[in-house]
Amino acid sequence: DSVIWCATDFNGNQPRAISGLNVAFLFRAIAAPTKGRVEIEGLRNLLGGLKLQQQDSKYRQQKQLQQGTSTQIDVPQPLNVVLVSTSPDALDDFETPFGTFHGLKREGEDILRNEFPSLSYTILQMGRYDDNFVPENLDIVLEDQAPTLEDDTGKRGYRRINRRDAARAAVEALTNDSLRGKAVRVWTQKKG
């Protein structure tokens, strides 16, 4: 089984708590202030369930092999998890009730890497989403290494991606073995 996890409490590029005053969000923040971190608790819950399902599936397959009711077939498997995050240079960092915005994003990435080593994964750190001025179907750029300060000078916030291209990149990552176990930055070229 595979999961593309792209959950956030954001509306566009703004925290939902800032973009609109919603009584439900206010109640949640007051009633259970530590339960609202969808990037952390939601991800951990999902990964735990996926890990248990994977273990159960392996156990059932082993039992069927021992009973002779099944044969083992090695078929290439897609990634278990594609975690869609934000590139550190896509948005400004700001304080939340639970830590910095960038800190929460990196914590979610660390949970996937360190707490669930049996799951195959890739982390896509998306550039800034822009549906108004970035056309669809542009070439997608995947950058393995974080740029140095010299490489990044003047580029902050200019690496953008249309949401539909971001979705396409996430789906394509499921079967791209060169991304297995990596975190890459993702944006689109200015010209198709």
Side-chain angles (χ1 to χ4, degrees):
D1 290 342
S2 298
V3 173
I4 296 174
W5 180 261
C6 182
T8 183
D9 277 344
F10 280 74
N11 183 11
N13 290 323
Q14 286 188 329
R16 197 169 299 279
I18 294 171
S19 69
L21 185 57
N22 185 314
V23 176
F25 289 121
L26 181 60
F27 177 77
R28 182 181 72 181
I30 294 170
T34 61
K35 194 164 174 101
R37 298 185 311 166
V38 74
E39 287 90 353
I40 307 303
E41 284 79 16
L43 178 63
R44 188 174 277 130
N45 290 340
L46 174 111
L47 295 175
L50 186 60
K51 176 184 161 190
L52 289 174
Q53 185 277 332
Q54 189 178 53
Q55 289 171 337
D56 184 53
S57 180
K58 285 181 183 179
Y59 171 77
R60 281 187 275 127
Q61 185 180 21
Q62 287 293 339
K63 195 170 183 179
Q64 289 174 344
L65 285 171
Q66 290 171 351
Q67 294 172 347
T69 59
S70 175
T71 58
Q72 187 167 356
I73 301 172
D74 290 328
V75 177
Q77 296 295 315
L79 290 171
N80 295 126
V81 181
V82 174
L83 175 62
V84 178
S85 189
T86 59
S87 179
D89 61 353
L91 300 168
D92 290 331
D93 201 11
F94 56 88
E95 283 294 324
T96 74
F98 309 109
T100 67
F101 170 74
H102 288 263
L104 290 173
K105 293 297 183 184
R106 302 299 84 86
E107 185 178 347
E109 294 171 12
D110 289 342
I111 287 170
L112 177 57
R113 284 186 193 105
N114 302 324
E115 293 182 28
F116 297 91
S118 63
L119 298 176
S120 60
Y121 71 89
T122 191
I123 299 168
L124 301 180
Q125 296 176 338
M126 297 291 178
R128 175 171 250 173
Y129 294 125
D130 189 340
D131 297 334
N132 296 324
F133 300 106
V134 177
E136 292 178 38
N137 297 318
L138 296 178
D139 292 336
I140 295 172
V141 177
L142 303 173
E143 183 180 64
D144 274 350
Q145 300 175 2
T148 63
L149 288 176
E150 295 83 34
D151 294 338
D152 219 17
T153 304
K155 293 183 184 175
R156 191 177 194 343
Y158 288 101
R159 292 181 172 169
R160 299 176 186 263
I161 189 165
N162 186 290
R163 290 176 201 275
R164 289 185 185 192
D165 287 334
R168 179 169 49 102
V171 171
E172 290 173 357
L174 286 171
T175 57
N176 186 340
D177 276 339
S178 68
L179 296 178
R180 190 175 293 266
K182 291 183 179 179
V184 295
R185 293 189 180 180
V186 183
W187 72 93
T188 50
Q189 290 286 8
K190 289 184 172 57
K191 296 180 180 177

